[in-house]
Amino acid sequence: MNGDVSYAGLATSLALVGVAAVISLWQRLGLERQILWAAARALVQLLLVGAALALVIEPGRPLVWSWLWVSAMVAYAGDVARRRAPEVPGVMALAVGAFAIAAVISLGVLFGFGVLPLEGRTLVPVAGMLVGNSMTATVLVARRLVEELRDKRDEVEARLALGQPSQQASTPYVRAALRSAVSPQIETTKATGLVFLPGAMTGLILAGVPPTQAVLVQAVVMFLILGSVATTAVVMALGLARRLFTSDHRLRWLPRSADVR
Amino acid sequence: MNNNQILFTFDDVMVERQGIKALDGFTARIRRGIGITGLAGPSGSGKSTLLRLCNRMEVPTTGRILFRGDDIAELDPLALRRRVGMVFQKPTPFPGTVRDNLLTASPAAGSDDLHRALRRASLEGDWLGRDATALSGGEAQRVCMARTLVTEPDVLLLDEPTSALDADAVEVFERAVGDLVDEGMEVIWVSHDHAQLLRVAAEILRIDGGRFAGTETGAETAGTETAGTDADSTTRAGDERR
C-alpha cells in the first residue's frame, strides 16, 4: 500500500462515524446529529481546503499565493484567539503580532538556512503547523495572565504602591503564565515517539515515506513547534502585560470571562 | 493657611467608575504636621478611593489633588509612591522570606536599613529569615508596614489596616503607628471603626456619598488650626494612645 485513499475507501471509513453515532443512540447521549453534522462539515471543509491548497501550491504557481494563504491563516488564528479569550483586551492584535513574529523567526530559520526548500508545498503546511500548535499556548498565556493579575490584584497593587514600575510589578505573574503555557508543549516534546506518533510523521509513513526520513522531518517540525510556542507565548505575555497597565503604572480593571460573553 | 501647612488639597474631585460616582465633588484639605488624620464615613462613601488618590493608585475623573502644593498629575507616580507609602486592608506578603519582601521594596537596602524598618513596625528580634506567608494576620500586616517603611516614605496611607486583626494585634499596630508619628511621620488612616479614629487621630474628615461632610476633632490633636473647608478649631486633647 502506498497510502493513497480512494473515494470508496473514504466512504468505507465513514462507517466509523456510524459507529460513533450508534454508540450515542445506544447510550442515549443525544449526540448522533452533532456527530454526523461534525463529520460532514469536517469533510466538506477538508475537501474545499484541499482544492484551494492544490491551486495555491501547485508547481509553477507564484509563491506570493502561498504567502497570502499564510497571512490569511494568521489573521484567522487571531480571530479565533479573540473568540476564545473575549475577556483579554486587544487579544486579536496581540495574537496576530505574536504569530507573525514567530513565523518570521521560525520560517526564517527553516527556509533561510535551507532546512527545507522554500516552495508552496512546504511553506503552507509548515506555517499551518506553527500557527495551529501555537494557538493553544497563545490563548492559554493570555487568559492565565489576565486571571493572575485579576485574582492577585491586591498583591500587584501592593507592589505598585511600593513604587515598582508596572513592568517589574507584573514580572512574577508573567512568569507563572508563561510556565503554564509552555510546559504542556515541553511535556509533549519529551513524550514524542514513546507515547504517541505525531501527525506529520504518521502522515508521511502512511504516504509511503521511509520511517527514517519521516523521523527527520518530524524532528524538524517538533523543534519548529517548540520554538514557535515559546515565541508566541512570550510575545503575547509581554505585550499583554504592557496593555493591562496604564502609562502611569496603575492596573486596569479586568473583567471576568463571564462578564464579557 | 499657606501651602506649607497643607499636606493634601482635594479640589472638586470626582471619580466615576463604570457609571458609578465613588467621589462626587469632594473638596477638602488635609493638614500637615498634625500626625494622624482619620477618614471616616459609611461603607461605600468613598474613603478608600480618596486614600488611593493620594498616591495615584487612582486618578480623578475631574478635579485635582495637590500634594504639598504640587498637582499630583504633574508628579512622577513612582517617585510619589515612594514618598507616600501605603498599607492595605488585607495583608499581602509576597512569597519568600521577610527579607525577600523588604528587598522587593528596596533592593539596595542594607542590613541596618532592614532591621530599622522592622523595629519601626514593632517587629523586634530575628524576623528576616521567616517565611512571610506563614505569619499571623497581625504579624503579616506589620511586615507589610515594614516593607513600606523600608522605602522611607514621608507619608503613610493606611486603608483599614486593622479591620482583620484581633484586639491585641490592633493595639500593637496602633502603638507602632503612634511611634512613627512621634518621629514625624504624616499618616492618613481610613477606618470604619469610629472609636479607633477618635482614639488615634488628631482630626477626622467625614465623607458621605462621595462628598466632604465635615471635620471632627480626635483625641490626638496636635495642632490648633482649622482643617478641611468648614472645620472647627482643634485643641490638644491629651495622649490616650498608650
Side-chain angles (χ1 to χ4, degrees):
Chain A
M1 179 185 171
N2 65 0
D4 288 350
V5 175
S6 65
Y7 284 105
L10 176 66
T12 308
S13 72
L14 280 173
L16 298 170
V17 177
V19 168
V22 166
I23 288 173
S24 171
L25 277 171
W26 172 42
Q27 290 293 317
R28 297 183 186 171
L29 303 179
L31 294 174
E32 52 281 0
R33 282 173 66 116
Q34 284 191 51
I35 288 170
L36 294 176
W37 169 241
R41 185 177 155 159
L43 182 59
V44 172
Q45 284 173 186
L46 282 172
L47 288 173
L48 286 175
V49 168
L53 260 181
L55 282 176
V56 169
I57 67 175
E58 74 179 8
R61 182 78 62 191
L63 202 57
V64 67
W65 289 104
S66 297
W67 284 114
L68 281 175
W69 182 283
V70 172
S71 304
M73 221 158 38
V74 167
Y76 181 70
D79 187 53
V80 172
R82 181 184 60 78
R83 280 183 278 132
R84 280 203 211 164
E87 77 278 24
V88 179
V91 68
M92 183 170 172
L94 282 168
V96 168
F99 292 138
I101 290 172
V104 166
I105 294 172
S106 306
L107 301 181
V109 170
L110 285 191
F111 297 118
F113 291 101
V115 178
L116 291 171
L118 180 54
E119 296 168 8
R121 71 176 178 87
T122 51
L123 174 61
V124 171
V126 163
M129 275 195 248
L130 180 159
V131 173
N133 284 281
S134 304
M135 168 77 76
T136 307
T138 308
V139 171
L140 197 64
V141 80
R143 297 192 74 165
R144 177 69 193 268
L145 182 57
V146 167
E147 194 180 290
E148 281 272 320
L149 293 175
R150 186 186 56 221
D151 295 350
K152 294 181 181 163
R153 186 175 195 104
D154 291 348
E155 208 178 290
V156 180
E157 291 205 322
R159 291 177 190 273
L160 294 170
L162 291 169
Q164 285 194 346
S166 52
Q167 195 189 0
Q168 188 184 352
S170 63
T171 298
Y173 316 100
V174 167
R175 282 186 189 145
L178 276 174
R179 274 195 207 102
S180 74
V182 178
S183 295
Q185 190 57 45
I186 296 173
E187 292 306 314
T188 304
T189 307
K190 282 198 293 197
T192 301
L194 297 175
V195 181
F196 69 97
L197 295 178
M201 188 168 132
T202 310
L204 286 169
I205 293 172
L206 281 174
V209 172
T212 46
Q213 184 59 33
V215 162
L216 290 181
V217 173
Q218 183 60 53
V220 168
V221 168
M222 289 302 298
F223 301 153
L224 164 89
I225 291 171
L226 191 56
S228 307
V229 163
T231 308
T232 49
V234 83
V235 171
M236 171 59 85
L238 295 180
L240 187 57
R242 285 175 67 100
R243 203 171 271 234
L244 297 180
F245 290 86
T246 62
S247 58
D248 61 350
H249 308 278
R250 288 177 296 116
L251 180 58
R252 292 183 195 277
W253 178 75
L254 301 171
R256 294 185 176 278
S257 56
D259 298 335
V260 288
R261 281 185 204 278
Chain B
M1 208 184 301
N2 64 38
N3 276 344
N4 289 335
Q5 296 169 301
I6 303 169
L7 191 61
F8 284 100
T9 304
F10 301 91
D11 186 4
D12 198 16
V13 174
M14 199 260 280
V15 174
E16 189 175 345
R17 289 185 227 106
Q18 281 92 51
I20 296 166
K21 286 181 180 168
L23 287 176
D24 185 12
F26 186 92
T27 298
R29 287 174 296 185
I30 291 176
R31 281 201 294 150
R32 194 170 170 181
I34 61 167
I36 300 175
T37 301
L39 295 180
S43 280
S45 59
K47 304 184 295 289
S48 291
T49 302
L50 191 68
L51 199 69
R52 290 163 60 86
L53 288 168
C54 296
N55 66 347
R56 214 161 132 183
M57 294 299 285
E58 195 99 42
V59 291
T61 312
T62 59
R64 61 184 195 145
I65 300 117
L66 307 182
F67 172 50
R68 292 177 178 164
D70 296 323
D71 191 336
I72 276 185
E74 314 276 311
L75 301 174
D76 170 15
L78 302 181
L80 173 72
R81 288 173 194 163
R82 293 180 87 80
R83 288 174 71 192
V84 182
M86 189 167 196
V87 177
F88 294 82
Q89 181 172 9
K90 190 177 147 203
T92 49
F94 306 145
T97 62
V98 172
R99 180 193 300 275
D100 295 335
N101 270 259
L102 268 52
L103 289 176
T104 299
S106 184
S111 181
D112 289 350
D113 302 322
L114 303 185
H115 282 106
R116 178 175 132 80
L118 289 173
R119 259 197 325 274
R120 293 175 83 200
S122 286
L123 291 167
E124 303 293 341
D126 188 16
W127 282 81
L128 289 175
R130 292 183 63 172
D131 180 352
T133 57
L135 304 173
S136 71
E139 291 167 344
Q141 192 60 297
R142 278 182 288 138
V143 164
C144 291
M145 184 156 81
R147 192 174 65 191
T148 301
L149 291 173
V150 84
T151 68
E152 297 287 345
D154 311 329
V155 181
L156 202 53
L157 308 173
L158 305 178
D159 189 2
E160 307 252 17
T162 60
S163 63
L165 308 188
D166 62 35
D168 288 346
V170 170
E171 195 186 331
V172 173
F173 193 90
E174 285 181 7
R175 201 161 47 234
V177 175
D179 290 344
L180 291 172
V181 169
D182 291 344
E183 291 174 17
M185 182 75 80
E186 313 268 10
V187 178
I188 305 174
W189 190 323
V190 165
S191 179
H192 66 275
D193 179 354
H194 201 72
Q196 179 179 52
L197 289 184
L198 285 171
R199 194 163 61 236
V200 300
E203 281 176 357
I204 302 165
L205 265 61
R206 282 186 281 111
I207 310 170
D208 202 355
R211 290 176 155 270
F212 177 66
T215 307
E216 244 178 291
T217 305
E220 281 294 306
T221 307
T224 53
E225 289 200 37
T226 56
T229 51
D230 59 353
D232 301 320
S233 64
T234 56
T235 52
R236 178 172 285 277
D239 186 357
E240 296 171 5
R241 191 175 62 242
R242 286 163 217 226

